[in-house]
Amino acid sequence: MEIPVTKPAKRVVGYWFNEKKCQKFRLAELQAECKRRGIELVKIDLSRPIEDQGPFDLMLHKLTALYAQALSNDPKALLAIKRVEKYISENPKTFIMDPIPGVCQLLQRDQTYHLLQQCTKEDDKVFTPTYAKLTTTDIQLNKKLLTEASVTFPMVCKPVTGGGTKEAHEMDVVFNEAGIAECTLPCIAQSFINHGAVLYKLFVLGPVWFVVVRPSLKNFYAGVDGCYGINKLAEQETVHFNSHHVSKENSQSPLNQLDPGDEKEDLPKADPAVFNRIVTVLRDELKMDLLGIDVVIESSTGRYGIIDVNAFPSYDSVPNLMKHLVDLLIMRMEPVSRIPENSQTSGLLASPELPQEDSGVDTG
């Protein structure tokens, strides 16, 4: 008697991105690759109960903007987040890419930097610059907090919320105590590290990662205004900038053009082994697969400074992106991985513009 062959059930991935993320992430390509690999991709509607739309083997999401809105007590965002968390708690077999605790931790820069300091404190090659959270207009208290945290001038003041809003990219370079009053509060004040105007963006897809080289802020020095040459005034003026604009591939901002004296500087050569160590440590700490990690190499010491980490980045310039992503989805839905966890792919790539995050509340 012939035994009938049971056809394996189709795997179902539920996803939620807002509309701008759908467009920027080339959703049609992801849909085509999933279909080719036998995966059903279903858009989740957060305006109604998620359990009525599943079941899902895996949930793929970009909820950063929604959580940022929820932090501001937006009622629509709060309801959507409540539905997401209810589904996750009631469906433990659904793999969540990525876990909500890690996503929320990366949304708050002070929490991110605390984690980075803890997981790199034993590494003599990798660090995160000193920082302090400033929440008050009391200048004397802010000076005390900066001193206690060993934050040095010049420093970069960044919004506390690290993603999900356009304001997350608006920053200041402060050269002295007088400039502290110009920072938009609350903020994270972080020591600026000279790095030869080169930023390394690590795009992580589970065990696979890539490096994209981008322009970055020029070198700044105490007593020198980095925008306009030698400043004859006693006090240096605060520089306001948008980090997204400064780090575009083709950006010609005066803020990312090295001064003549710095152009002669021999920059340390990037070591893929150190990048791999950074990726491995952060994946282990955050329990996340989809990460964007911003790294600079300190000009004077050659140490690697981690200056930002983001959930589910754009992956601009990553070759065969959808293949790598669907490989990862399959790996997380199957007991036996098709991609060994200890495997790795890396490459130094050219890079186009990195899209900004969308800040609207879109639950459909």
Side-chain angles (χ1 to χ4, degrees):
M1 180 177 178
E2 185 176 348
I3 300 174
V5 177
T6 303
K7 189 175 182 180
K10 177 176 284 191
R11 292 157 295 194
V12 181
V13 172
Y15 75 93
W16 189 88
F17 314 142
N18 59 31
E19 289 305 317
K20 285 190 176 179
K21 179 68 175 178
C22 287
Q23 295 170 12
K24 293 172 182 176
F25 195 62
R26 308 194 305 275
L27 179 62
E29 294 181 27
L30 176 59
Q31 291 171 327
E33 183 66 15
C34 282
K35 183 177 181 180
R36 188 180 73 82
R37 307 281 290 275
I39 297 171
E40 183 180 356
L41 194 64
V42 177
K43 182 176 181 180
I44 296 171
D45 181 355
L46 295 184
S47 66
R48 59 192 184 92
I50 301 174
E51 50 268 26
D52 296 343
Q53 305 170 59
F56 303 116
D57 297 293
L58 184 147
M59 181 186 289
L60 176 67
H61 68 84
K62 174 69 171 182
L63 291 166
T64 306
L66 209 56
Y67 269 95
Q69 293 289 335
L71 286 174
S72 300
N73 293 315
D74 181 284
K76 188 177 179 181
L78 287 168
L79 179 58
I81 291 301
K82 184 178 179 180
R83 287 194 173 111
V84 170
E85 295 181 347
K86 179 176 182 292
Y87 178 84
I88 292 172
S89 67
E90 294 178 354
N91 294 272
K93 291 184 179 180
T94 299
F95 190 91
I96 308 302
M97 189 175 290
D98 271 318
I100 300 301
V103 172
C104 290
Q105 185 166 19
L106 295 182
L107 191 58
Q108 302 291 303
R109 281 194 169 104
D110 54 327
Q111 294 182 25
T112 301
Y113 295 146
H114 176 73
L115 170 71
L116 292 174
Q117 286 191 338
Q118 292 302 306
C119 65
T120 62
K121 61 184 179 182
E122 303 297 330
D123 194 320
D124 60 0
K125 195 70 175 177
V126 181
F127 73 110
T128 195
T130 53
Y131 72 95
K133 184 177 182 179
L134 307 182
T135 61
T136 175
T137 55
D138 185 332
I139 300 299
Q140 294 307 313
L141 176 56
N142 286 340
K143 289 179 182 178
K144 181 173 182 291
L145 291 171
L146 293 170
T147 300
E148 290 176 347
S150 300
V151 177
T152 57
F153 294 104
M155 66 182 187
V156 181
C157 291
K158 312 176 181 182
V160 175
T161 302
T165 67
K166 293 180 180 179
E167 291 74 19
H169 300 277
E170 299 296 332
M171 303 182 185
D172 309 293
V173 179
V174 176
F175 293 89
N176 46 60
E177 292 183 349
I180 297 174
E182 298 182 51
C183 293
T184 302
L185 299 173
C187 73
I188 302 298
Q190 187 174 52
S191 299
F192 178 77
I193 303 299
N194 281 337
H195 52 279
V198 178
L199 174 67
Y200 298 94
K201 298 189 76 70
L202 278 58
F203 288 133
V204 182
L205 286 149
V208 180
W209 58 270
F210 298 86
V211 182
V212 172
V213 182
R214 292 273 175 83
S216 184
L217 288 174
K218 64 194 284 186
N219 293 346
F220 292 117
Y221 302 93
V224 175
D225 181 337
C227 267
Y228 307 105
I230 302 299
N231 193 329
K232 303 300 182 184
L233 302 175
E235 303 292 345
Q236 285 26 270
E237 295 182 359
T238 296
V239 173
H240 307 280
F241 71 100
N242 182 294
S243 61
H244 166 69
H245 296 156
V246 169
S247 291
K248 290 181 182 180
E249 182 191 22
N250 297 316
S251 173
Q252 294 298 314
S253 166
L255 291 175
N256 59 30
Q257 304 300 307
L258 289 173
D259 292 328
D262 292 322
E263 290 176 351
K264 302 173 183 178
E265 182 180 45
D266 291 329
L267 298 177
K269 187 176 180 181
D271 183 352
V274 178
F275 288 149
N276 187 63
R277 189 158 76 240
I278 291 170
V279 169
T280 301
V281 167
L282 288 185
R283 284 190 65 218
D284 287 346
E285 290 289 335
L286 291 164
K287 311 302 180 189
M288 294 174 66
D289 285 317
L290 306 177
L291 292 170
I293 308 169
D294 290 353
V295 179
V296 296
I297 302 180
E298 189 172 28
S299 302
S300 59
T301 66
R303 295 192 304 160
Y304 291 61
I306 308 173
I307 58 172
D308 233 333
V309 185
N310 300 292
F312 205 155
S314 69
Y315 295 105
D316 280 358
S317 296
V318 172
N320 302 313
L321 170 60
M322 297 310 167
K323 177 186 180 301
H324 290 304
L325 178 56
V326 176
D327 281 346
L328 179 61
L329 298 180
I330 292 172
M331 180 182 83
R332 290 309 187 193
M333 289 188 289
E334 292 185 349
V336 179
S337 170
R338 294 186 182 181
I339 309 173
E341 274 288 329
N342 62 358
S343 71
Q344 58 190 351
T345 301
S346 64
L348 293 175
L349 308 171
S351 63
E353 174 183 343
L354 178 67
Q356 280 189 325
E357 303 293 346
D358 185 285
S359 59
V361 178
D362 174 12
T363 60

